[in-house]
Amino acid sequence: MAEAYIGGTGMTPFGAFPDRTGRELFAEAGLAAIEDAGLTSENVDEVFYGNFIGTLSENQGHQGPLAAEALGTTAPSRRVESACASSGLAIRDAVRAVRTGDVDVVVAGGMERMSNMGTARATDGLARAADDLFEVRAGVTFPAAYALLARAYFDAFGGDRTDLAHIAVKNHDNALVNDHAHLQREITVDDVLEAPEIAAPFGLYDACPISDGAAAVVLVSPSYAAEHGLDSGVAITGSGHGGDTMALQDRRSLSKTPATRDAAEEAYDDAGIDPTDVGLAEVHDCFTIAEVLALEGLGLYRYGEAIGAARRGETHRGGSLPVNLSGGLKAKGHPVGATGAAQVVAVRTLLEGTHPRSDAVGDDVTVGLAHNAGGTVASATVHVLEVMP
Amino acid sequence: MAEAYIGGTGMTPFGAFPDRTGRELFAEAGLAAIEDAGLTSENVDEVFYGNFIGTLSENQGHQGPLAAEALGTTAPSRRVESACASSGLAIRDAVRAVRTGDVDVVVAGGMERMSNMGTARATDGLARAADDLFEVRAGVTFPAAYALLARAYFDAFGGDRTDLAHIAVKNHDNALVNDHAHLQREITVDDVLEAPEIAAPFGLYDACPISDGAAAVVLVSPSYAAEHGLDSGVAITGSGHGGDTMALQDRRSLSKTPATRDAAEEAYDDAGIDPTDVGLAEVHDCFTIAEVLALEGLGLYRYGEAIGAARRGETHRGGSLPVNLSGGLKAKGHPVGATGAAQVVAVRTLLEGTHPRSDAVGDDVTVGLAHNAGGTVASATVHVLEVMP
């Protein structure tokens, strides 16, 4: 059952735009989404805005009202922050608002601007998604934290750097036709293996780039959708959210991500589907290992079996389950606060046939999934999108 | 009708605690609220956490999972940020979550830690609640912005510094018995008028202090409340949220706050009450003029008439409408992200007879209101609380 119809979607290209303000980026994405829905700013009842470190990168807190203003409205707004899962959460809380019946049309999305900070300040800023007292002060950065997860995974289930390299190659390849992707550059397994090491076992190509950009989704209540001819196309039919300890030291296992598992179970239950119904997925691949952890947490692969999925071609286009046809965070880019919304934009347009990679989506595919994670998966959201009859 | 029962409430004392971490403060408030509800951490389905500038004051983003951990759970969480209205919004979005039927027990609250920053850095941090490009770079600080609102109000409706001084005196007086208040100090109208000027027409006593602290509310679904004997006491029966332009320059009027008006109208409508039903109110008095703007935006006074309310004794205890019996932000203190939740804690305990100022609440008073504002009221939330039969 549709919890909220996706009336429209919009996103900026992802890349390095140090001279564009956050409000300018969000205006581009949000106004495109509103226009795509055939609506105007006056139709917007509420705004849910995801952003992680605008307080640092633009000296700007209280961004909700600015995001609303960027859309030409003073509708009520709030910023939702959950690190890299900020706009996944913005969408989740927006879906709930629609479900209460209080609102008919909401814009949920997000924005991040990081290239203006420079790499060192941005890396330091990103570290605020980890536990400052117990991880960051011990020297943990995100490349290091995910490298630790990769090592733990290899220890538990096997796998090696070459398996991971195939994920990077696949996602770069998917992005080649995507003009909105930050990195449109073909790479080989050898390129990945020979790249400079950033945190063993990762080389440079195991990591997503630091990106700027914005993405937005117009969510519409089923009753409003029926009245305004928006009740065809794609709807969100399931939403889930999971949590875990912030610091890795407090986890029972470093090779599994229970926040993703919990979010997925809730979303599947909500949508009334099984993992086997999922025909394509956009998952949170901030580092190559993250795609593996996601696919297993989502129940799309058994534990220990996703590590070889890209190498076997299963998750490539034409495979049994295409993953990150947009290019993923790895190649499309990862403007933190925009990522969760951009995943929903990708799944919707892939299912509707308007994404540059829609030709890789089989006619029988009607269910897609978007998985957004915060920190080292201390937060995760999952949304199930379905083509409505 | 109860949208969510208040199962329990908790808060830390408000004050300057530069050596206590944010997680420690929130643990104190949140665990007290859970215990007050007769529940345990395992009962908590979800956490809504309000915080404004932890990214600056504690180098900590992604605070949702840390807030949950402070309560002894890995339940799903998010941070909700809307400047000084952050935990008002956290409560609003938590009420909605309960209304969807997805969750039965949620903790909504917030925390701020600012005294460790020092006054200059804290003032700079607080300025991030204004428009960085069009206000802050022009030199606007919050004392200056609210001073502008006071001048605009005086121009539009009359009134003077002495009227404002009576508000400060009243709120300090209310706080005298409140051990959780930051400022327990009796002041006179002359003290206020003779205090050092901070931004004309304001002197030092027209401003709230920079405080640390946390507050939390356990919200329970009506069905869970009925099953577990929590369906007596006080419930949230109405919730409203309004928005306005971020920058003052874009407002049609500086003497009115339409975000408060919109939030109030929605909350009254939701609760099925009129402003005349409200028997006590906690309103967002970050500066003395803010109490006036709030009372008029809330429809508790006509425009131009609230300026003399404190001077006439109407809003003092024993008056026709006691306002800020807790001491308000002015004297109880204003740990930004905790304030909205602390207002709900105050209204609930005042109505239930467990607040130190409950003796000032008439037996016939069954409806209270909490009003939280962000920035120069670019965001506002209103919650109606009622004693359930």
Side-chain angles (χ1 to χ4, degrees):
Chain A
M1 194 184 75
E3 303 209 319
Y5 280 87
I6 297 181
T9 51
M11 64 180 284
T12 65
F14 285 0
F17 312 114
D19 297 330
R20 300 191 70 189
T21 61
R23 59 190 90 184
E24 188 186 343
L25 291 167
F26 190 68
E28 182 179 325
L31 292 172
I34 293 169
E35 188 183 344
D36 183 36
L39 299 173
T40 69
S41 302
E42 288 171 11
N43 299 118
V44 177
D45 294 322
E46 226 167 285
V47 178
F48 292 74
Y49 184 70
N51 175 270
F52 177 46
I53 50 170
T55 313
L56 296 174
S57 66
E58 296 197 296
N59 295 321
Q60 188 65 66
H62 203 195
Q63 295 172 68
L66 285 177
E69 270 188 74
L71 307 181
T73 175
T74 54
S77 63
R78 86 280 286 139
R79 170 181 168 219
V80 185
E81 190 264 306
S82 197
C84 308
S86 293
S87 57
L89 251 307
I91 288 174
R92 175 171 174 79
D93 286 350
V95 168
R96 277 182 166 164
V98 168
R99 284 174 56 205
T100 62
D102 285 353
V103 288
D104 282 320
V105 178
V106 300
V107 176
M111 183 283 301
E112 207 76 54
R113 199 179 157 210
M114 294 192 292
S115 70
N116 65 314
M117 301 173 80
T119 305
R121 257 190 87 218
T123 302
D124 182 53
L126 288 167
R128 287 164 167 80
D131 188 319
D132 183 64
L133 296 180
F134 295 103
E135 294 186 308
V136 183
R137 295 193 189 190
V140 174
T141 61
F142 270 88
Y146 271 91
L148 201 61
L149 298 184
R151 285 171 175 278
Y153 185 95
F154 292 165
D155 285 349
F157 301 118
D160 59 29
R161 285 197 64 204
T162 304
D163 292 316
L164 297 181
H166 279 275
I167 295 167
V169 170
K170 166 179 75 69
N171 292 348
H172 272 253
D173 185 59
N174 279 332
L176 287 176
V177 297
N178 184 354
D179 286 343
H180 283 58
H182 190 169
L183 305 177
Q184 284 190 283
R185 183 190 307 160
E186 193 169 4
I187 57 172
T188 65
V189 168
D190 282 346
D191 290 336
V192 182
L193 296 176
E194 290 162 15
E197 185 171 88
I198 56 168
F202 294 153
L204 184 62
Y205 285 118
D206 287 284
C208 68
I210 288 171
S211 312
D212 305 325
V217 178
V218 175
L219 297 173
V220 179
S221 69
S223 59
Y224 188 94
E227 278 167 37
H228 295 80
L230 292 165
D231 57 342
S232 62
V234 170
I236 291 179
T237 58
S239 174
H241 180 195
D244 201 350
T245 68
M246 184 80 150
L248 292 177
Q249 66 191 25
D250 296 321
R251 307 262 175 99
R252 288 192 189 168
S253 162
L254 295 184
S255 56
K256 296 181 181 177
T257 51
T260 294
R261 180 200 62 208
D262 292 350
E265 285 176 359
E266 185 185 359
Y268 296 147
D269 188 51
D270 202 15
I273 66 161
D274 289 316
T276 52
D277 296 317
V278 174
L280 62 88
E282 293 283 316
V283 308
H284 198 94
D285 61 324
C286 48
F287 296 91
T288 45
I289 190 66
E291 182 168 308
V292 177
L293 296 170
L295 291 174
E296 296 180 2
L298 292 165
L300 298 171
Y301 277 85
R302 291 197 184 132
Y303 288 110
E305 296 188 0
I307 183 71
R311 196 173 192 166
R312 296 189 297 265
E314 294 160 8
T315 49
H316 213 318
R317 58 181 191 279
S320 49
L321 179 70
V323 173
N324 287 328
L325 284 170
S326 72
L329 285 61
K330 178 66 201 78
K332 184 182 60 198
H334 181 30
V336 170
T339 284
Q343 293 173 317
V344 171
V345 175
V347 174
R348 185 246 186 171
T349 50
L350 283 163
L351 289 174
E352 289 200 347
T354 55
H355 190 280
R357 277 284 180 229
S358 284
D359 58 354
V361 180
D363 290 339
D364 57 329
V365 172
T366 59
V367 180
L369 176 153
H371 162 259
N372 193 199
T376 45
V377 205
S379 308
T381 61
V382 172
H383 286 96
V384 174
L385 280 69
E386 296 188 58
V387 179
M388 300 312 284
Chain B
M1 194 183 76
E3 303 209 319
Y5 280 87
I6 298 182
T9 52
M11 65 181 283
T12 65
F14 285 0
F17 312 114
D19 297 330
R20 299 192 70 189
T21 62
R23 58 191 90 184
E24 188 186 343
L25 291 166
F26 190 67
E28 181 178 327
L31 292 172
I34 293 169
E35 188 183 345
D36 183 36
L39 299 173
T40 70
S41 302
E42 288 171 12
N43 300 119
V44 177
D45 294 322
E46 227 168 285
V47 177
F48 292 74
Y49 184 70
N51 175 269
F52 177 46
I53 49 169
T55 313
L56 295 175
S57 66
E58 296 198 297
N59 295 322
Q60 189 65 66
H62 203 195
Q63 295 172 67
L66 285 177
E69 270 187 74
L71 306 182
T73 175
T74 55
S77 63
R78 85 279 287 139
R79 170 180 167 219
V80 185
E81 189 264 306
S82 198
C84 308
S86 293
S87 57
L89 252 305
I91 288 174
R92 175 171 174 78
D93 286 350
V95 168
R96 276 183 166 164
V98 168
R99 284 174 56 205
T100 62
D102 286 352
V103 288
D104 282 319
V105 178
V106 300
V107 176
M111 183 284 302
E112 207 77 54
R113 198 179 158 211
M114 294 192 294
S115 71
N116 64 315
M117 300 174 80
T119 305
R121 258 190 85 218
T123 302
D124 183 54
L126 288 167
R128 287 164 167 80
D131 187 319
D132 182 65
L133 295 181
F134 295 103
E135 295 187 307
V136 183
R137 294 194 189 190
V140 174
T141 61
F142 270 88
Y146 271 91
L148 201 62
L149 299 183
R151 285 171 175 277
Y153 185 96
F154 291 164
D155 285 348
F157 301 118
D160 59 29
R161 285 197 64 203
T162 304
D163 292 315
L164 298 180
H166 279 274
I167 295 167
V169 169
K170 165 180 75 71
N171 292 348
H172 272 252
D173 185 60
N174 279 331
L176 287 176
V177 297
N178 184 355
D179 286 342
H180 284 58
H182 190 169
L183 305 177
Q184 284 190 284
R185 182 191 307 161
E186 193 168 4
I187 57 172
T188 66
V189 168
D190 282 346
D191 290 336
V192 181
L193 295 176
E194 290 162 16
E197 185 172 87
I198 56 168
F202 294 152
L204 184 61
Y205 286 119
D206 287 285
C208 68
I210 289 171
S211 311
D212 305 325
V217 177
V218 175
L219 297 173
V220 179
S221 69
S223 59
Y224 188 95
E227 279 167 37
H228 295 79
L230 292 164
D231 57 342
S232 62
V234 170
I236 291 179
T237 58
S239 174
H241 179 196
D244 202 350
T245 68
M246 184 80 151
L248 292 177
Q249 66 192 24
D250 296 321
R251 308 262 175 100
R252 287 191 190 166
S253 162
L254 296 184
S255 56
K256 296 180 182 177
T257 50
T260 294
R261 179 200 63 207
D262 293 350
E265 286 177 359
E266 185 185 359
Y268 297 147
D269 189 50
D270 201 15
I273 66 161
D274 289 316
T276 52
D277 295 318
V278 174
L280 63 88
E282 292 284 316
V283 308
H284 198 94
D285 61 325
C286 48
F287 296 91
T288 46
I289 190 66
E291 181 167 309
V292 177
L293 296 169
L295 292 174
E296 296 180 2
L298 292 165
L300 299 171
Y301 277 84
R302 290 197 185 133
Y303 288 110
E305 296 188 1
I307 182 71
R311 194 173 192 165
R312 295 189 297 267
E314 294 160 8
T315 49
H316 213 317
R317 58 181 193 278
S320 50
L321 178 70
V323 173
N324 287 328
L325 284 170
S326 71
L329 285 61
K330 178 68 202 76
K332 184 182 59 198
H334 181 29
V336 171
T339 284
Q343 293 173 317
V344 171
V345 174
V347 174
R348 184 243 186 173
T349 50
L350 283 162
L351 289 175
E352 289 200 348
T354 54
H355 190 282
R357 276 284 179 230
S358 284
D359 58 355
V361 181
D363 291 338
D364 57 328
V365 172
T366 59
V367 180
L369 176 152
H371 162 261
N372 192 200
T376 46
V377 205
S379 308
T381 62
V382 172
H383 286 96
V384 174
L385 279 70
E386 295 187 58
V387 179
M388 300 312 284

